[in-house]
Amino acid sequence: MLVLNDEQQLYRVLFPSYVALVEDLARELVEKLLSQKGAKPNEFVGLDPKLPMDEAAEQWITFQPVETWAMVILKFGGRGWSSFQGGRRGVVEAVTIRNLCAHGIPVINKKALNRLASASTQSQRLPSVGDQIVLDRATFSKHVATLRRFARSMADSVANMPDMPEGLTVPIVSESERRAP
């Protein structure tokens, strides 16, 4: 009841699931790019082609920063960070805030500040190390709106790509090939 009655705590509990949904969408889009859209595994730097496609996509999205995997997915569909309001800084900020909240860190730390700085332009204001993370209704809504626009841009970019012609397949390692010596 305390969490439900404390707006900050409630949004800190809810927010990680929004980012997780976007990451899950990205996994599905990577699989679709590989299985239906003609993308090659080597176009996803760091993707392990020896793993089954679903595991490879999961690991790739999990262990690559959003800045890396998002750009690859957006580029396949001819889009970029400017294709949605909030862009790179908005997405990186949302993911960084999620990471801090998920680990119970209530303030901006040096690692978070560096990540935000790398995704920002000179005209964008940066927080300072030690600044309290405010996740009130307005901030929560802003981050969720950015994530929605980002997800829509990624999904639309992949959905609007032509499928591979019938009969063409991208070589994907099968379970038996993976186990072969």
Side-chain angles (χ1 to χ4, degrees), residues 59-81:
Q59 285 189 10
W60 191 69
I61 296 297
T62 301
F63 297 117
Q64 294 290 326
V66 66
E67 300 93 303
T68 300
W69 58 256
M71 198 62 237
V72 172
I73 294 170
L74 290 167
K75 272 187 176 180
F76 270 106
R79 298 197 183 185
W81 291 112

Side-chain angles (χ1 to χ4, degrees), residues 14-159:
L14 293 175
F15 192 57
S17 58
Y18 279 89
V19 177
L21 288 170
V22 172
E23 291 171 338
D24 192 48
L25 170 65
R27 286 180 195 83
E28 288 185 31
L29 294 174
V30 169
E31 288 182 44
K32 187 173 198 145
L33 285 165
L34 290 166
S35 65
Q36 298 174 18
K37 303 296 183 176
K40 310 277 187 286
N42 65 347
E43 295 175 286
F44 300 84
V45 176
L47 183 119
D48 187 346
K50 296 177 185 159
L51 291 176
M53 186 181 359
D54 60 335
E55 286 180 41
E58 181 177 341
Q59 285 189 10
W60 191 69
I61 296 297
T62 301
F63 297 117
Q64 294 290 326
V66 66
E67 300 93 303
T68 300
W69 58 256
M71 198 62 237
V72 172
I73 294 170
L74 290 167
K75 272 187 176 180
F76 270 106
R79 298 197 183 185
W81 291 112
S82 62
S83 65
F84 60 94
Q85 185 182 353
R88 182 177 181 209
R89 164 67 189 264
V91 172
V92 170
E93 183 175 356
V95 171
T96 300
I97 297 300
R98 180 279 308 256
N99 291 344
L100 294 169
C101 290
H103 293 284
I105 302 169
V107 297
I108 298 294
N109 59 25
K110 184 69 174 160
K111 183 178 179 181
L113 181 61
N114 289 342
R115 189 162 187 203
L116 289 173
S118 72
S120 300
T121 64
Q122 287 188 345
S123 65
Q124 292 174 313
R125 190 182 82 67
L126 289 172
S128 298
V129 171
D131 282 358
Q132 193 75 25
I133 296 171
V134 176
L135 200 54
D136 56 14
R137 179 184 213 112
T139 308
F140 175 81
S141 297
K142 178 187 93 167
H143 290 315
V144 169
T146 298
L147 291 171
R148 282 184 184 148
R149 289 186 295 263
F150 170 52
R152 191 173 300 117
S153 186
M154 284 193 306
D156 288 350
S157 71
V158 173

Side-chain angles (χ1 to χ4, degrees), residues 2-23:
L2 291 174
V3 168
L4 293 175
N5 290 322
D6 181 339
E7 181 181 78
Q8 290 275 332
Q9 289 301 318
L10 176 63
Y11 292 130
R12 285 174 192 268
V13 168
L14 293 175
F15 192 57
S17 58
Y18 279 89
V19 177
L21 288 170
V22 172
E23 291 171 338

